[in-house]
Amino acid sequence: MARKKTKTPAETGITPKKAKNAVAVAKIVVPAVAPALAPLAVKAASAVRDAYDHYQARRLGVPIDQLSEFTGRGAHLLARIAGTSEALAEVRKAERASDDDVRFANDSQSTLEQLTAAVRAAERMPGARRKAAHQAVAAELERIEGQLLKRLGV
């Protein structure tokens, strides 16, 4: 049976001579290749950022051009508030909206403005308080959304 020849650590690892050679090669190759690779790296970074922005917009349920309006830890709440506000505006404009519906829409709109302020203020709170504030806002928002859906007949 033939024995395999084992390599010494100097043969398998990085030796000072191998490291010096690698640095010398890098000094020659990197300046020659960098100008050709830089535009590709910029395009790749731009594509990754664009894909991430589209993902965030889909996740929040907003158009990509409005994504910058919904930032921070309360972005999902701000997006929900904006969507509910748009729905309330449609209720006010509807031909078959009763006076009670318009009154509800106006009252709810002022509540939504307060909820928006609460979410923005919570951004600067410590984690536990921010979470509690977000839960309170979410509960109030669910109540308004439920009443809105009931008035829309859904």
Side-chain angles (χ1 to χ4, degrees):
M1 189 174 239
R3 283 184 103 183
K4 285 186 176 180
K5 182 180 175 186
T6 59
K7 294 184 178 182
T8 64
E11 293 174 331
T12 60
I14 297 178
T15 63
K17 183 178 179 181
K18 287 181 182 179
K20 187 176 179 182
N21 287 342
V23 169
V25 169
K27 283 182 179 179
I28 295 170
V29 172
V30 170
V33 176
L37 294 181
L40 295 175
V42 169
K43 281 184 182 179
S46 176
V48 168
R49 179 60 193 202
D50 189 48
Y52 180 72
D53 286 347
H54 278 84
Y55 164 77
Q56 285 288 88
R58 261 192 325 274
R59 201 180 105 223
L60 293 174
V62 297
I64 188 76
D65 58 328
Q66 292 180 354
L67 185 61
S68 63
E69 296 174 27
F70 308 107
T71 60
R73 296 182 188 265
H76 63 286
L77 288 172
L78 292 173
R80 281 180 61 195
I81 291 169
T84 304
S85 180
E86 290 174 11
L88 288 173
E90 290 176 20
V91 166
R92 278 192 290 272
K93 293 177 188 175
E95 293 177 10
R96 61 185 180 106
S98 67
D99 290 338
D100 189 40
D101 291 338
V102 173
R103 195 173 320 109
F104 164 76
N106 291 334
D107 292 344
S108 296
Q109 186 63 42
S110 65
T111 302
L112 291 178
E113 290 169 6
Q114 291 174 349
L115 293 178
T116 300
V119 170
R120 295 203 190 282
E123 289 296 321
R124 294 175 293 283
M125 291 181 184
R129 288 187 63 198
R130 180 179 52 245
K131 188 174 183 179
H134 284 182
Q135 287 174 344
V137 167
E140 183 65 19
L141 192 54
E142 286 177 24
R143 184 189 66 77
I144 292 172
E145 289 170 339
Q147 289 179 355
L148 176 62
L149 290 175
K150 189 169 135 183
R151 289 181 186 278
L152 293 173
V154 178

